[in-house]
Structures are given as structure tokens and as C-alpha cells.
Amino acid sequence: MTARRIVLSGCSGGGKSTLLQEMARRGYATVPEPGRRIIAEERQSGGQALPWRDPAAFCHRAIEMAIADANRATGDPVIFDRSALDALIWFDRTGTELAQTTRDRVLTLGYDRHLYLTPPWPEIFEADDDRKHGMTDALAEFEALCDRLPQYGFETILVPKLPVSARADWFEAQLRKGAAT
């Protein structure tokens, strides 16, 4: 039996990373968001594959990093903060060309068909040095995920807006009851 690859995605600034940290604290195997790691690497090396400089290069890197993450992830379940699907959908919504072989690789990674989305939460949204876009762009990103993920065969489940501990309790209950199978 293959380990479950659970994706936690959704609106930027919706509390994904905070929830992932709490799930890790509770003993779950987790994988951090590719985007923030890429930004750190690009800044360190003086690279240009930053979402505000070269979004296509950034998304290509995000896909490659997410594929590598999925291939080396251990645990059951493994919870991913975003995935290659996020970058794939960026290509869809911007009309930027992406090779079919890359699309096929993303869609055969074995992510669980139940995909958890954090909804827009303007009260906690914060821009920072790595998240330079505003709420309008975050909403467009979220709407694209909601629109495209079902077209790729995924069922989206909205994570309720709750304090992090209660959110983690809810998420654990979802995993236990088998919604993420």
C-alpha cells in the first residue's frame, strides 16, 4: 500500500504553514512549501527565478522541487504545504505553456484525491519579503485552485477558519475518518 500524500493548499496567507507546523508538532510527517525554499535559494545564489521577477521560471522550479519532495517523502500520511499542482494551475490560469510531459508527471505523483484548501482569511493575511503580492492576487490564486483542481479529478475540502489548535484537531479528524484516502 502506498503512503498517503495529503496536500494542504489554498489561499496565500490563509494559515497553511502555521497549520502544517502544528501537524508536525503532533508527529505527522510534513513537507514545507516549495515556494519559500526556492525564494531563499534564489536570494542566496543571486538567481532570478523569483515569483515577482520570473514567475514561469519560479513555477518550473516549484514543480521540480515538489516532484523531488514527493519522491523522497516518507511517512503515512505525509502532509505537503502546497504541491506541484499549485504551479501547474499557475500555468493554466496565466496561459503560459507547460510541456505535456511535465503535466503528466505532476498528475501522476499520487497525491490523495481529497485536497485541503485554506480559504481566504483577510484578517490574518500579511505580505512580507517573500510574499509580495496582495489579497487581490491571493484571491485569484485561490479561485483558480477551486476551479481547476476538480477538473483534474481532485475533491477540494475547505479547512475551517479556527484557531490553529482547533484547526489541527479538525484536520486530524479528517485524516482519521478516512476523508483523505
Side-chain angles (χ1 to χ4, degrees):
M1 186 163 157
T2 305
R4 294 179 299 164
R5 294 176 174 171
I6 309 301
V7 175
L8 178 62
S9 189
C11 192
S12 289
K16 289 178 300 303
S17 297
T18 302
L19 176 55
L20 191 82
Q21 290 169 359
E22 176 62 16
M23 298 307 288
R25 190 191 69 72
R26 293 180 182 205
Y28 289 88
T30 61
V31 178
E33 175 185 353
R36 295 235 181 213
R37 291 182 283 152
I38 293 166
I39 291 169
E41 289 173 5
E42 291 297 299
R43 284 190 169 148
Q44 179 84 24
S45 70
Q48 298 297 307
L50 297 162
W52 52 88
R53 283 210 182 109
D54 189 344
F58 173 80
C59 287
H60 277 289
R61 289 232 20 232
I63 286 173
E64 292 306 316
M65 184 177 280
I67 288 171
D69 288 343
N71 288 336
R72 77 174 159 264
T74 59
D76 186 19
V78 178
I79 306 169
F80 295 85
D81 186 345
R82 297 206 180 266
S83 71
L85 295 165
D86 292 82
L88 172 69
I89 290 171
W90 179 87
F91 283 98
D92 289 349
R93 79 180 173 99
T94 62
T96 306
E97 190 168 331
L98 181 65
Q100 187 61 46
T101 55
T102 303
R103 287 179 177 282
D104 293 344
R105 287 176 63 205
V106 170
L107 294 172
T108 58
L109 281 172
Y111 293 127
D112 193 273
R113 289 297 180 208
H114 294 87
L115 202 139
Y116 295 87
L117 297 179
T118 57
W121 199 345
E123 296 81 7
I124 68 169
F125 180 91
E126 291 182 11
D128 59 33
D129 288 342
D130 293 344
R131 182 187 299 133
K132 294 180 183 270
H133 62 274
M135 193 67 200
T136 300
D137 290 331
L139 288 170
E141 170 189 59
F142 177 74
E143 289 168 5
L145 291 168
C146 291
D147 178 56
R148 296 297 296 186
L149 287 166
Q151 292 178 33
Y152 286 122
F154 294 93
E155 178 184 336
T156 58
I157 301 168
L158 287 181
V159 177
K161 293 179 183 178
L162 298 167
V164 69
S165 181
R167 237 181 186 195
D169 291 344
W170 175 88
F171 198 46
E172 280 187 311
Q174 294 293 305
L175 296 175
R176 278 194 307 273
K177 78 177 185 180
T181 58

